[in-house]
Amino acid sequence: MSSGDPENSASGSQDPTSFLRSATFSRDGPAVSVENAVTANDLLLGAYDPAKLHPLAQLGDQLDYLVLDDDKTSELPGAGTAIPSRGWSDDLCYGTGTMYLSGLALGGFWGVSEGARRPLAVSNTRLRINSVLNSVTRRGTFIGNSAGVLALVYNGINSTIDSFRGRHDTAGSMAAGALTGALYKSTAGVKPALAAASVISGVAGIWSYVKKSV
């Protein structure tokens, strides 16, 4: 068997770190001058056009959920309020998410207050922290889930009523709130269902009036 080239054998046995330090690299095409090189400062300040990074980056005005123009909002009569919306999908997603997070925060504060005031058999910091955490997880999830479900059902019914009537107004919002409250407490009996319908209808009417007035 013949032996290999001595130079190849030497390079193969060379330390990879030493080889990379001594290696040189070249590229085909015109060299980019230091003056025209793109720096991180140019990207952060917006001085460099992102469309030059790749041809597919030339999106134009197709980013509907990043650029909210007036011509893309809902054209339903009465829908022009202080909170812009592109239609029922915006109301459903943003309304449900906002109410869910608000419910989590409210339930968390309630849980902290309840856990801090709960009497313990033994006064201990670890037991007190455990009591607070238990109350937060119980109250926070309950209020957050309830608020999220109510917002989901309300926005769905409200969008259906607006689409059927052809306009958005306070009366439609109050009707959607009444149906949502009655449906939410329908298994508890007639009186709880009527009470929930009245409360949620009033809250929906106030919210609709505030959005139009601001």
Side-chain angles (χ1 to χ4, degrees), residues 1-181:
M1 181 180 295
S2 61
S3 60
D5 190 3
E7 295 182 358
N8 294 333
S9 301
S11 62
S13 60
Q14 187 179 5
D15 185 18
T17 304
S18 303
F19 177 77
L20 290 176
R21 288 178 179 175
S22 60
T24 58
F25 301 92
S26 62
R27 54 174 295 180
D28 297 333
V32 180
S33 62
V34 179
E35 292 78 7
N36 297 328
V38 180
T39 63
N41 191 30
D42 296 333
L43 294 176
L44 294 176
L45 295 178
Y48 187 73
D49 186 8
K52 296 180 180 179
L53 297 176
H54 196 278
L56 295 180
Q58 298 178 1
L59 299 176
D61 58 348
Q62 299 177 9
L63 299 176
D64 295 340
Y65 284 85
L66 295 180
V67 181
L68 184 60
D69 298 331
D70 293 337
D71 57 348
K72 293 185 176 65
T73 56
S74 177
E75 297 179 355
L76 191 69
T81 61
I83 302 177
S85 172
R86 281 175 292 265
W88 67 271
S89 59
D90 277 11
D91 298 335
L92 193 67
C93 296
Y94 299 148
T96 303
T98 302
M99 289 300 297
Y100 177 71
L101 294 178
S102 301
L104 282 179
L106 181 61
F109 285 118
W110 183 11
V112 170
S113 176
E114 183 183 57
R117 291 184 290 103
R118 177 179 299 171
L120 300 176
V122 179
S123 180
N124 191 322
T125 304
R126 183 175 298 178
L127 293 178
R128 178 62 64 188
I129 294 176
N130 185 65
S131 175
V132 170
L133 292 178
N134 289 336
S135 299
V136 167
T137 54
R138 182 172 63 254
R139 300 302 184 184
T141 53
F142 171 73
I143 299 297
N145 292 336
S146 300
V149 169
L150 287 174
L152 180 66
V153 175
Y154 166 77
N155 284 292
I157 297 177
N158 192 27
S159 299
T160 303
I161 293 176
D162 293 345
S163 177
F164 180 77
R165 299 175 66 223
R167 66 179 183 274
H168 175 77
D169 53 13
T170 304
S173 299
M174 294 183 67
L179 292 175
T180 301

Side-chain angles (χ1 to χ4, degrees), residues 193-210:
L194 291 177
S198 301
V199 172
I200 299 180
S201 178
V203 173
I206 294 173
W207 172 244
S208 179
Y209 177 77
V210 169

